[in-house]
């Protein structure tokens, strides 16, 4: 019953097997190996973008920060939702890599910017000539940190607003797969076809050990990104082991299968919780994350039964039994129906 | 009738005379001259802080950014009001000098943080361990960009909150003098006596050509500041000309006299405008700046009569005559009663 | 016959097995897992430094840059040999992480600084007050990029010079193991016992997939390093997989066994080459790297036979047969005696 | 007898008068005033470059650092002589502004790079793909910090080498005027006509209070420079006072007259010293600076007589009377023949 995060579970066995397979003999370092070429080709394929610049790094924060630095200037401000990972959970990595940019926080329900809130934020900048920051890239988190998902139309609408102001669009896809299968669309559908210019194609939260692809649909950014990656100390020497993971996840749509499993378990969990009158959802769970308020007594039972998850706003042990405390429940690819059932059964009891 | 800004008017003749006087013979460069020693001593005197670290730079943005960089780490966030100059009007200079810090924007009416809004902002950070930014300095703008003033009690309350979280307190005093004379207090009263740790003691907006003193009440920051100033290319070689201005403004309380004149003219202007039923103040003007809404027709008359000031939110020339447009009116030391009277008389007509 | 680099060979099977073992069930992320605690304890053990701050990152450049940033200020200069990896092969990563420090290049034969050359370099800085850079950390590469090794006395002498100027000492130990077994000393002998303050304890070039430990003997640097690591996007979420590798290499001295194998093969290769009159060594090979000049004809035979290694200064295919071209030959843990023999036999033929 | 520096003497009276004249009434801030437009036009005129981007800052280090940052990327290295001001005397300002570039030090007698030493330095970089820094701008100091001057042919030869590698050329002209009048050429002759792409046109060391013009012959850099200047806290609000100085120095060739006076006095001083057998010149003085070794006894006499200048390598007061100590002697525009004669007469005595 581990619902703590999608980075606490095991790596998929096929990915581990791919790492073992990759460990044969010698391979050129720093991405000059055959597996890396294969991984790049497969990422281009899955994005239907044969000319895209594709580079691997081990961590999502690295991909985000390096992409945003490549797309911005230090005197600009990057637009993102108030609850974006790049703002809340990266300890100023974007500001570090982008050499002192600002982040302009955009409002919106369910951790989602709206075309209107984005336009207002964009209009409010660059009103003071050289004195204020200039407009920089817009970063969309898909799926959001709160487990919600932008529809394709919503993404296109945001991208249209961004482009109208001359701003490139980045998608932080740490949970790209969860969003993609939830929408039932392709990787291309969710990105360049609706105006996304660069994407962090996440693997680590979806069954890999530690790999993300940074994808630019305009390949002109490729060499700058490579230099930034090296200078940021993110160029792996034994690069084949990054590549092997990426190849494994793209083979036979494993990435979609894993995300589907995670989303499905999360859906079952949500359906079960919804039937309990004392559970209140903060957002409609659309991917693999639930934010829900549950009474302390329920938390206590679950904790005693060994369920693991974060309680965001209070102490489970002490306080009135009926006080509502906010739980974050995350399902990864390895979540079992048994665990979901067990969780629900304890909660119900 | 120039109400555009307090950086458009002339330098006070006594300051110009001091520059001429300073231009005699040779002087050691880089602040090793006698005039600089005198300026430092006089700043310490006026702040009743005999051990304070005092360094001169030419621009307020430089003083702010260098002080904040000295007081912060790059993985921190600096707390300031949404309408702080360091956020809106310095093109990411604080982020640049502090190597990629964040700025956390604090709410509050009249461009003033409240102890409560500041506490909420502080509490909302450092809740995610190493993942989110750490709490950094709190920066108070006094007088604010909207012409309002924190009372001594308000400053102390903010400083108490900041210190309770271990955060040092900076005062952006680009209009320090205007606030100080409005409060009828001393420089010490408005700073270290109410918990301010470092201050940008502004001169440029108060009749000098281009000088601000960066003052740290704890002298331990002195050497780091000097290195940051040099590395930031802000160490003047012919330093006596910065010092001469600072000495001149502190001599015989010229700085207070100039600020009093500016505030008084602004008060007269405000009193006059208040009697006009179609003028609405955004804030109660407490220093030398007025934000007021006036009908387009009034703006047109004033512009035709040669009045200079910024209209913040619309086109004076085109639109309904009775539409209210926001004016920013600033008085500097050189503003005359005649100009104020003339402005009011046109507005009234 | 792959002598290209110690990052082209396979990961040791025991390390791969450890990764498989680590992939069981759930583990807390970001280093809060049990394996990380074990890895930290084992690193402290091997360094006989029970209080040391120990943090894992995936790449040597990351460890170097983060340590140097932690030990320096941006207005300083870092002292290293002209052939240090941090100068030649990190694309300004130290300057990036340390926010614009300088690197002062120190001379010395065999890619080794001498106490005298270091002292001269230190004395030449900080002679201009605030105008020049201030003295920062000294970084020693052990083993050097040219395959030579500092003796313990040499390290102590360098550290004494550095400390006499108040400068902390960093050891870039990407090939720490190779040096340590060559000297027949312990990890403690080669570091804090001879004055080293912080060390990059390399694993990637010694049979791991991608792990280095950043070790500070003074734990006061720990929290700052953690914040810098997170902000640099180097904090792994699935941290157990870094820890598993570190545990595996420290178990039963695997790290020493692997380095011994690499050094031994390199020694055999060197002995064989030394007997060939037309081979000239640039340096006396002391660890697992050889720099030697060999005639083009010999390179051609070796390349035809499938030998892989870098030729540093010319075109193997075109030019006089007897022209000497510089080869870099590297042995890793997996190098076989058969490969060495085959190489020598081709070279000899 | 003040030969300490060209930043210790007085500002030229005409420049002071221009400041007084500029202090009439109101003027738009931040460079939108008429005087600034006039200054820009005059700089373009003197450089015969009607489209050049011209921006004023107060300090030479600011102009250098901002220009180099504009011309470079953070993963590059800037090429300059080992004795360049940007390396020795700016406390890492170029590295700060350029976000962590390296400086590659080029050798050459008399503080001058040679085409050959520059080519060698350029060839030695970018040999390691993404691993080493990339080639960035070449910065030429004219006149050099040692008082020597590049001929026009030498500048063109350096620029040709730089451009052959795709590197732009910056001229640090803190003593531009001294070099220009020594060569008897125009500002255009010494810059774009011989391949210089951007120049720091120095005024501060040539009789101004504190003004330098940053000039780019390709105006495409203009807006980026403006943003960098603002973000670096170098945009003066009361900009007319920078402009007034620049206008004054360009009016009627005052800048050339002042530099001629400085150079002439320096020439007379050099001629006098050359006749003394115990004075040895380090370089042939070509502008307004002399580096010469003189016996301690001579220094003692001069110091007792009140002469002021820097002794670079020893203690004047203590040691053998005939030991040679290195003096740096600088003449500015205000140096009198009387002072030169007095100095020589004491030295001779």
């Amino acid at each position: 019953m581990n619902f703590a995060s999608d980075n606490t579970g095991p790596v998929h066995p096929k990915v581990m097997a791919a790492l073992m397979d990759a460990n044969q003999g010698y391979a050129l370092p720093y991405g000059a190996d055959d597996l890396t070429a294969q991984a790049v080709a497969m990422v281009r394929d899955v994005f239907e973008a044969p000319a895209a610049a594709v580079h691997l790094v081990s961590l999502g924060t690295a991909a985000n920060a390096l992409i945003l630095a490549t797309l911005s200037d230090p005197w600009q401000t990057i637009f993102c939702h108030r609850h974006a990972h790049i703002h809340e959970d990266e300890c100023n990595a974007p500001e570090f890599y982008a050499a002192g940019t600002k982040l302009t926080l955009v409002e919106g329900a369910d951790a989602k910017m709206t075309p209107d809130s984005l336009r207002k934020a964009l209009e409010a900048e660059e009103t003071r000539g050289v004195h204020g920051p200039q407009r920089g890239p817009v970063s969309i988190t898909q799926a959001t940190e709160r487990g919600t998902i932008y529809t394709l139309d919503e993404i296109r609408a945001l991208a249209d607003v961004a482009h109208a102001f001359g701003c490139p669009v980045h998608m932080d896809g740490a949970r790209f797969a969860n969003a993609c299968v939830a929408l039932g669309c392709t990787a291309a559908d969710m990105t360049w076809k609706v105006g996304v210019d660069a994407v962090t194609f996440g693997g680590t939260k979806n069954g890999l050990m530690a790999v993300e692809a940074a994808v630019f649909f305009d390949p002109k950014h490729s060499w700058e990104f490579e230099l930034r990656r090296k200078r940021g100390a993110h160029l792996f020497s034994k690069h084949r082991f990054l590549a092997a993971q990426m190849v494994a996840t793209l083979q036979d749509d494993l990435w979609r299968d894993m995300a589907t499993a995670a989303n499905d378990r999360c859906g079952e969990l949500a359906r079960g919780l919804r039937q309990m009158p004392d559970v209140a959802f903060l957002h409609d769970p659309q991917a693999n994350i639930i934010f829900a308020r549950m009474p302390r007594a329920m938390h206590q039972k679950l904790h005693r039964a060994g369920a693991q998850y974060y309680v965001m706003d209070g102490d489970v042990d002490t306080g009135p039994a009926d006080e509502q405390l906010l739980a974050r429940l995350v399902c990864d690819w390895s979540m079992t129906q048994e665990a979901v059932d067990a969780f629900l059964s304890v909660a119900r009891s």
Side-chain angles (χ1 to χ4, degrees), chain A:
Chain A
M1 290 203 295
N2 193 303
F3 298 88
S5 180
D6 32 16
N7 57 31
T8 56
V11 173
H12 195 281
K14 286 189 184 170
V15 176
M16 293 305 288
L19 286 172
M20 298 298 281
D21 288 348
N23 195 37
Q24 306 303 322
Y26 292 81
L28 287 173
Y30 300 116
D33 58 295
D34 295 341
L35 259 178
T36 298
Q38 187 183 347
V40 168
M42 289 175 81
V43 172
R44 285 175 176 158
D45 265 9
V46 84
F47 278 96
E48 303 164 42
V54 175
H55 302 288
L56 304 182
V57 295
S58 55
L59 301 180
T61 297
N64 288 340
L66 286 165
I67 290 174
L68 289 169
T70 303
L71 294 179
S72 69
D73 284 315
W75 42 85
Q76 294 182 341
T77 184
I78 295 164
F79 296 83
C80 65
H81 192 275
R82 171 174 299 283
H83 293 309
H85 194 270
I86 61 168
H87 173 61
E88 290 196 326
D89 276 314
E90 301 191 350
C91 196
N92 301 1
E95 290 92 340
F96 172 43
Y97 278 88
T101 51
K102 216 178 262 296
L103 262 58
T104 295
L105 305 181
V106 181
E107 304 296 336
D110 296 325
K112 289 163 65 179
M113 299 185 281
T114 66
D116 195 51
S117 66
L118 177 59
R119 185 180 302 108
K120 282 210 178 82
L122 284 158
E123 282 170 353
E125 298 294 353
E126 270 193 41
T127 60
R128 328 169 77 84
V130 82
H131 300 283
Q134 309 298 299
R135 296 179 190 117
V138 172
S139 181
I140 300 173
T141 317
Q142 172 83 323
T144 73
E145 293 295 303
R146 299 300 170 93
T148 53
I149 291 180
Y150 290 96
T151 65
L152 298 186
D153 283 349
E154 286 171 340
I155 297 169
R156 178 181 289 284
L158 291 173
D160 284 350
V161 171
H163 291 156
F165 287 86
C167 302
V169 176
H170 165 245
M171 176 174 283
D172 174 1
R175 295 188 180 92
F176 187 96
N178 302 97
C180 210
V181 302
L183 291 175
C185 69
T186 68
D189 288 342
M190 204 166 82
T191 53
W192 63 266
K193 289 190 176 173
V194 287
V196 173
D197 298 297
V199 58
T200 299
F201 177 61
T204 312
K205 287 191 196 308
N206 191 34
L208 305 193
M209 187 180 282
V211 183
E212 319 271 311
V215 182
F216 294 90
F217 297 110
D218 184 337
K220 77 176 174 191
H221 299 295
S222 184
W223 181 236
E224 177 175 336
F225 186 90
E226 283 201 47
L227 289 160
R228 287 189 180 275
R229 177 176 60 171
K230 172 68 194 179
R231 169 175 170 263
H234 286 290
L235 174 58
F236 266 55
S237 57
K238 301 188 179 177
H239 201 273
R240 56 173 147 172
F241 298 108
L242 296 186
Q245 299 177 60
M246 186 51 70
V247 168
T249 200
L250 293 181
Q251 207 107 45
D252 302 327
D253 277 345
L254 176 60
W255 68 288
R256 297 187 77 102
D257 294 345
M258 292 195 287
T260 301
N263 288 4
D264 285 357
R265 293 303 84 72
C266 187
E268 293 155 12
L269 185 64
R271 272 191 296 282
L273 289 170
R274 237 189 227 108
Q275 293 162 358
M276 305 180 198
D278 44 4
V279 174
F281 286 79
L282 235 68
H283 315 282
D284 185 31
Q286 297 172 297
N288 65 326
I289 305 182
I290 292 168
F291 279 81
R293 293 221 170 76
M294 314 185 320
R296 179 174 279 107
M298 190 183 288
H299 287 296
Q300 289 174 340
K301 276 186 295 181
L302 286 161
H303 275 207
R304 271 198 304 273
Q308 291 189 291
Y309 57 90
Y310 288 102
V311 173
M312 313 301 278
D313 59 350
D315 180 357
V316 168
D317 295 329
T318 317
D322 60 349
E323 193 185 354
Q324 295 283 104
L325 298 177
L326 180 61
R328 189 186 80 149
L329 303 165
V330 189
C331 296
D332 77 344
W333 71 272
S334 72
M335 179 58 59
T336 61
Q337 256 164 341
E338 291 69 32
V340 170
D341 290 346
F343 187 98
L344 289 172
S345 143
V346 172
R348 228 176 262 125
S349 71

